[in-house]
Amino acid sequence: MLGKRGLEWENEVAAKRAKLADTEEGENPYGDMEGLPVNYENVLAAAKRIEGGVVMTPSKRSRVLSKELGLNLFFKNDFLQFTGSFKERGALNALLRLAPAKRTKGVIAASAGNHALALAYHGSRLNCPVTVVMPFTAPLNKIKQCREFGANVIVDGENFSEAVTKAHALCEERGLTYVHGFNDPHVIAGQGSVGLELMAQVPQLDAVIVPVGGGGLIAGIAIAVKAQMPHVQVIGVESNTFPCMTESLLKGEPVEVPGRASIADGLAVRLPGPNNVAVCAALVDRVITVSEHHIALAILRLVESEKCVVEGAGAAGLAPVLA
């Protein structure tokens, strides 16, 4: 059941879409992003800043699934980044925004895997020392890869929240710069470059479905898409084991959820970023939850139809289409 704030949010979204239907050509009801922690200009600047440092990944139409499902379905293949995820975009932008003295001193972050990998890789490229705190549940292969990139890896915490607490303590103790994996405005802006590429590669977009963990990716994409193509729906997808953004939007503020084991470990976030909740409340059309079964099915279908091996978090965007 929706609470009072949940009904207000749904009404706000409905009102914006009604306004969009009534706007004249060239007008954009989402154009005024004043008050949001990240804006369209930030995303454009980030995309320019990281150009050449990350891969402009393809958006490929799935012939098999498009025919099977009766729609034109495209996949943005950001698993083709060097470290295997979109996280490189935000991490690189954040590192490039550091003052020389802070970059020399080094950065620290808490991560279950992909943000840690992105920071470790680009930190090694930029001669910036990187320390990452990874929970005991982090995949062993990602811990190993971070160390191979030269990062100082500290495995501590039963979950991501405990790893964050440890990382903040070390940050203060050692005078490092903390780079949040999804709430840092520079990280959000960097992730928005995914949206810019999508619109350039698939100009006939009707909707963008985005996996949601802490919300940095969907926030960045929503800013880019709503600025250029306000008619395009931006839809978030969470595992029903970690519905933190859903609950936060219903309450109108960041809400911590208990969470439980998930095949999509990259989405296993108990508390979304406050900056991302603000952006999603203003720009995202809706956020839905999917079962672990449908995420597992999405992983399988991507192997079968696209010959792509993708982790649960990356496959989650396909899950609601199959449900």
Side-chain angles (χ1 to χ4, degrees):
M1 179 179 294
L2 293 178
K4 180 180 178 182
R5 175 55 196 161
L7 290 171
E8 289 175 352
W9 179 60
E10 285 209 336
N11 289 337
E12 288 169 7
V13 171
K16 287 174 184 174
R17 297 204 67 78
K19 183 178 179 181
L20 177 60
D22 292 338
T23 53
E24 297 181 4
E25 186 175 354
E27 294 183 356
N28 185 346
Y30 299 95
D32 183 8
M33 296 184 186
E34 185 177 352
L36 293 182
V38 182
N39 59 38
Y40 181 54
E41 287 70 28
N42 298 145
V43 173
L44 290 176
K48 182 66 176 177
R49 191 174 295 115
I50 66 176
E51 187 177 1
V54 297
V55 179
M56 181 181 287
T57 56
S59 297
K60 291 190 174 181
R61 182 178 182 272
S62 172
R63 289 184 292 177
V64 173
L65 291 175
S66 293
K67 182 178 180 180
E68 179 180 317
L69 298 170
L71 48 79
N72 278 317
L73 185 64
F74 292 79
F75 293 114
K76 180 63 170 162
N77 292 340
D78 239 42
F79 66 89
L80 296 176
Q81 298 294 344
F82 186 78
T83 62
S85 88
F86 70 92
K87 290 284 190 176
E88 285 191 31
R89 299 168 182 269
L92 178 57
N93 189 50
L95 290 175
L96 291 174
R97 291 281 296 172
L98 288 174
K102 288 190 174 184
R103 191 186 298 179
T104 300
K105 183 71 174 178
V107 299
I108 188 170
S111 170
N114 289 334
H115 179 57
L117 281 171
L119 273 181
Y121 170 59
H122 287 290
S124 68
R125 291 180 53 242
L126 298 173
N127 294 316
C128 175
V130 172
T131 298
V132 290
V133 181
M134 307 179 76
F136 298 129
T137 54
L140 292 177
N141 66 311
K142 293 184 179 181
I143 293 173
K144 179 175 179 288
Q145 285 179 304
C146 285
R147 286 178 171 147
E148 289 175 351
F149 288 138
N152 173 28
V153 179
I154 299 169
V155 181
D156 197 311
E158 295 295 333
N159 51 52
F160 176 70
S161 297
E162 291 185 7
V164 169
T165 300
K166 178 67 173 180
H168 277 296
L170 290 172
C171 180
E172 185 173 348
E173 177 186 315
R174 300 179 182 181
L176 304 174
T177 298
Y178 191 87
V179 181
H180 199 290
F182 49 80
N183 196 54
D184 186 305
H186 301 313
V187 169
I188 297 168
Q191 318 305 31
S193 62
V194 174
L196 297 177
E197 291 177 17
L198 268 173
M199 292 183 288
Q201 294 165 339
V202 191
Q204 68 273 35
L205 275 175
D206 293 309
V208 181
I209 304 176
V210 188
V212 177
L217 179 61
I218 193 171
I221 288 177
I223 291 164
V225 169
K226 291 300 185 180
Q228 283 193 27
M229 296 182 171
H231 65 281
V232 173
Q233 290 196 51
V234 179
I235 301 168
V237 181
E238 295 182 298
S239 166
N240 61 13
T241 62
F242 281 89
C244 66
M245 186 61 76
T246 298
E247 294 300 320
S248 297
L249 291 173
L250 293 180
K251 291 292 179 67
E253 61 184 15
V255 173
E256 185 169 7
V257 298
R260 57 187 192 273
S262 174
I263 192 173
D265 61 275
L267 306 184
V269 177
R270 295 184 176 187
L271 182 68
N275 289 332
N276 302 321
V277 173
V279 172
C280 288
L283 303 178
V284 169
D285 292 275
R286 54 187 165 133
V287 178
I288 57 180
T289 59
V290 292
S291 69
E292 292 288 292
H293 165 77
H294 284 108
I295 296 176
L297 178 61
I299 295 172
L300 176 62
R301 294 311 314 273
L302 285 170
V303 172
E304 292 176 337
S305 65
E306 310 305 310
K307 305 301 182 282
C308 295
V309 179
V310 180
E311 63 182 272
L318 176 61
V321 185
L322 300 176

